[in-house]
Amino acid sequence: MSSPDQNLLHTPLYDLHLSLGARMVPFAGYAMPVQYPAGLMAEHHHTRTAASLFDVSHMGQLRLVGPDSAAAFETLIPVDVQGLAVGKQRYGMLLNETGGILDDLMFVNRGADIFVIVNGACKVGDITHIQARIGQRCQVIPMPERALLALQGPQAVAALQRLCPGVEKLVFMSGGHFHVRHSAQDIECFITRSGYTGEDGFEISVHEMQAEALAHLLLAQPEVKPAGLGARNSLRLEAGLCLYGNDIDTSTTPIEAGLNWAIQKVRRSGGARAGGFPGADKVLAQLDTPASLTRQRVGLIGLERVPVREHVELQDLAGQRVGEVSSGLLSPTLDKPVAMAYVTAQCAAVGTRLNAIVRGKPVAMEVSVMPFVPNRYYRG
């Protein structure tokens, strides 16, 4: 058990993490658990086979309220907000004027509001950005009093429905208001069936005053153990999911990042509400003319058992620099190195052989399809 810098912010579960023996590290301005005594590998495998509880309360939560909120939000992201049904969730990206990604986010149409979750390291800037641009058209209401817990893994539904009957009816990328049974008083939650691991699971927004009680209830379920940022990172990488600041940032567009799937037809060229978001001309031109891309995000699998980390240079077989790794580690599930990288368009085809230059030596890698481990979302 370590005592991190006292200048760091604490989530409502900070004391619980310490009591569970977590190793705490600075992350997004918070003291966060990177792993517990069982270790990253055990936590990773437990998430793939049972269910793990992650504290993601460092994330930003906000509400957009008012009749014009959906149309207003569409002016900031290249995603269909107005067509999203009540109770459904979608992935989106805040863009700058050159089509670079300011942050990626999730949002839910809750009927009375649009509920938005943004990344912890970006939340202050995101909320300022959203407020400045659409605060005249709708209310932008930050929710710093809300904690966020992620329960992830194939047995997550068994554990959660015991405490919260009816939650099993949710399908992937849907959400609703629920009460978790508790002896003192029921705990009010907003729950979505989604997450960042590639597994079935749930994200649970709860008031900070009730977060620890909820965490104790979940950890008391036989399927559930705690997991930290280390396992969260290895799980999301196996699932082929981007980490903001590593795999996407203001220097990457959604198309370079391979996030074309997140831009619905209605917002594309020829669509009823095409464009109208920052950087639209550049983003839609890249989408319409894939041959114009100079680089693309790809998956890589190592042909040698040497981990390849972020910022490692990639070369073609002639020794020319063709890109750089954005995220990489030894996959606990596959027991081989996996990575994501940006490479020149000529090197982006699946099966292309490249060399990662690790400590001056070439390590053979091959461009692979993603996800590296099949997703197991529950779609009904």
Side-chain angles (χ1 to χ4, degrees), residues 87-224:
K88 296 296 185 184
Q89 177 170 256
R90 209 160 250 167
Y91 173 81
M93 294 147 285
L94 288 172
L95 302 183
N96 64 20
E97 298 305 327
T98 56
I101 302 171
L102 294 168
D103 197 11
D104 61 343
L105 53 86
M106 300 289 261
F107 64 96
V108 187
N109 179 358
R110 301 201 298 192
D113 61 21
I114 297 170
F115 173 54
V116 185
I117 299 178
V118 298
N119 282 302
C122 305
K123 67 183 176 185
V124 173
D126 288 353
I127 292 167
T128 301
H129 173 84
I130 294 167
Q131 181 74 57
R133 282 159 182 78
I134 64 172
Q136 302 301 310
R137 295 179 61 179
C138 62
Q139 288 179 274
V140 180
I141 306 173
M143 303 164 73
E145 74 285 357
R146 304 294 288 185
L148 192 65
L149 310 186
L151 185 69
Q152 296 284 298
Q155 294 177 30
V157 65
L160 189 56
Q161 75 179 48
R162 212 174 282 132
L163 300 169
C164 187
V167 78
E168 71 280 0
K169 295 187 177 72
L170 291 177
V171 295
F172 181 57
M173 296 296 268
S174 68
H177 292 278
F178 291 88
H179 287 85
V180 172
R181 291 174 178 168
H182 186 36
S183 54
Q185 63 180 104
D186 284 356
I187 299 172
E188 286 187 38
C189 302
F190 186 78
I191 302 177
T192 59
R193 197 161 191 170
S194 57
Y196 194 48
T197 61
E199 295 291 337
D200 184 22
F202 302 87
E203 294 204 327
I204 307 166
S205 175
V206 59
H207 194 279
E208 61 187 355
M209 301 300 286
Q210 295 183 302
E212 189 168 345
L214 177 60
H216 279 292
L217 286 173
L218 291 167
L219 289 170
Q221 305 309 307
E223 301 88 351
V224 182

Side-chain angles (χ1 to χ4, degrees), residues 295-299 343-352 354 367-368:
R295 61 180 192 145
Q296 289 171 250
R297 179 173 66 97
V298 298
V343 299
T344 58
Q346 305 90 288
C347 293
V350 170
T352 303
L354 299 172
V367 177
S368 161

Side-chain angles (χ1 to χ4, degrees), residues 40-55:
L40 186 159
M41 293 288 280
E43 293 169 26
H44 181 109
H45 291 307
H46 190 79
T47 312
R48 290 269 183 249
T49 56
S52 294
L53 182 65
F54 298 83
D55 179 10

Side-chain angles (χ1 to χ4, degrees), residues 277-354:
F277 53 87
D281 290 350
K282 180 175 179 178
V283 170
L284 295 180
Q286 289 182 340
L287 192 55
D288 296 339
T289 317
S292 68
L293 287 180
T294 57
R295 61 180 192 145
Q296 289 171 250
R297 179 173 66 97
V298 298
L300 296 169
I301 288 188
L303 304 180
E304 305 170 37
R305 208 170 175 281
V306 178
V308 175
R309 311 283 182 192
E310 61 196 74
H311 304 311
V312 164
E313 181 179 326
L314 295 167
Q315 297 181 356
D316 62 18
L317 300 186
Q320 297 298 306
R321 182 190 172 96
V322 294
E324 185 177 288
V325 172
S326 55
S327 289
L329 46 70
L330 191 66
S331 159
T333 304
L334 303 178
D335 194 33
K336 59 176 75 167
V338 298
M340 287 197 272
Y342 282 86
V343 299
T344 58
Q346 305 90 288
C347 293
V350 170
T352 303
R353 294 283 179 98
L354 299 172

Side-chain angles (χ1 to χ4, degrees), residues 13-75:
L13 300 185
Y14 176 79
D15 290 339
L16 177 61
H17 298 314
L18 294 184
S19 72
L20 293 170
R23 182 158 72 84
M24 307 297 283
V25 298
F27 184 80
Y30 285 78
M32 296 292 288
V34 68
Q35 64 179 58
Y36 297 86
L40 186 159
M41 293 288 280
E43 293 169 26
H44 181 109
H45 291 307
H46 190 79
T47 312
R48 290 269 183 249
T49 56
S52 294
L53 182 65
F54 298 83
D55 179 10
V56 287
S57 302
H58 63 296
M59 306 281 276
Q61 301 179 58
L62 59 144
R63 301 167 58 214
L64 306 179
V65 183
D68 198 27
S69 57
F73 198 33
E74 275 194 7
T75 67

